[in-house]
């Protein structure tokens, strides 16, 4: 993409930051206020000024954006065209598991390596880990494969 002047370049950088923010987290995106809070900025005005090209984020902010939005800094800075991401499933489909007879809670032996957690809480933990603690697709894949293995192991005894 050929850009003729600084104002046009700033607008394009801002647009790329906005698109990346909105498409992050598997399409769920981040709200401007969430980004501002994480980065320690006051209000969403700072994020808005980046997205409109009125201001440019510093290097550490660009690095955070690249890691959390799933794009490269080069793409954000219009040094490289955005990559078409072909999302591969992070987990292989679960194999059918033989049903396990459920023992009454009073006779069930609790193993030291298990945690009884409602599925909604488990999903929230996984989403938090993926959104905040894992830096690339490989780490996400390995983490989710570990979760999958733990679920299979706990359901088979």
């Amino acid at each position: 993409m050929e850009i003729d002047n600084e104002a046009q370049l700033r607008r394009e950088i801002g647009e790329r930051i906005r698109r990346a923010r909105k498409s992050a987290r598997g399409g769920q995106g981040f709200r401007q206020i969430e980004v501002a809070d994480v980065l320690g900025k006051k209000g969403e005005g700072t994020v808005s000024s980046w997205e409109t090209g009125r201001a440019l984020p510093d290097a550490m902010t660009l690095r955070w954006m690249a890691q959390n939005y799933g794009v490269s800094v080069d793409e954000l800075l219009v040094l490289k065209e955005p990559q078409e991401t072909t999302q591969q499933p992070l987990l292989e489909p679960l194999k059918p598991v033989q049903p396990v007879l459920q023992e009454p809670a009073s006779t069930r032996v609790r193993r030291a390596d298990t945690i009884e957690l409602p599925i909604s809480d488990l999903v929230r933990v996984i989403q938090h880990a993926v959104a905040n603690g894992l830096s690339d697709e490989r780490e996400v894949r390995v983490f989710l494969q570990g979760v999958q293995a733990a679920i299979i192991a706990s359901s088979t005894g």
Side-chain angles (χ1 to χ4, degrees), residues 67-102:
Q67 289 176 330
N68 289 280
Y69 295 171
V71 297
S72 71
V73 173
D74 286 350
E75 290 174 57
L76 292 174
L77 294 178
V78 194
L79 296 171
K80 181 169 126 179
E81 288 302 313
Q83 298 282 324
E84 285 295 321
T85 56
T86 55
Q87 289 286 340
Q88 298 175 352
L90 295 175
L91 284 178
E92 299 300 320
L94 286 174
K95 296 176 181 122
V97 177
Q98 295 295 326
V100 178
L101 294 176
Q102 194 71 338

Side-chain angles (χ1 to χ4, degrees), residues 107-121:
T107 62
R108 196 176 323 148
V109 176
R110 181 163 180 173
R111 293 175 24 191
D113 63 344
T114 62
I115 299 173
E116 292 185 17
L117 189 67
I119 193 71
S120 60
D121 290 345

Side-chain angles (χ1 to χ4, degrees), residues 28-65:
Q28 285 185 298
F30 288 95
R31 293 188 343 246
Q32 286 182 341
I33 194 72
E34 290 175 303
V35 174
D37 287 345
V38 167
L39 295 171
K41 307 296 180 187
K42 294 187 185 213
E44 57 194 64
T46 302
V47 178
S48 175
S49 68
W50 296 332
E51 293 181 0
T52 58
R54 289 190 314 267
L56 295 173
D58 61 43
M60 292 304 290
T61 299
L62 284 167
R63 182 172 185 247
W64 181 91
M65 287 176 178

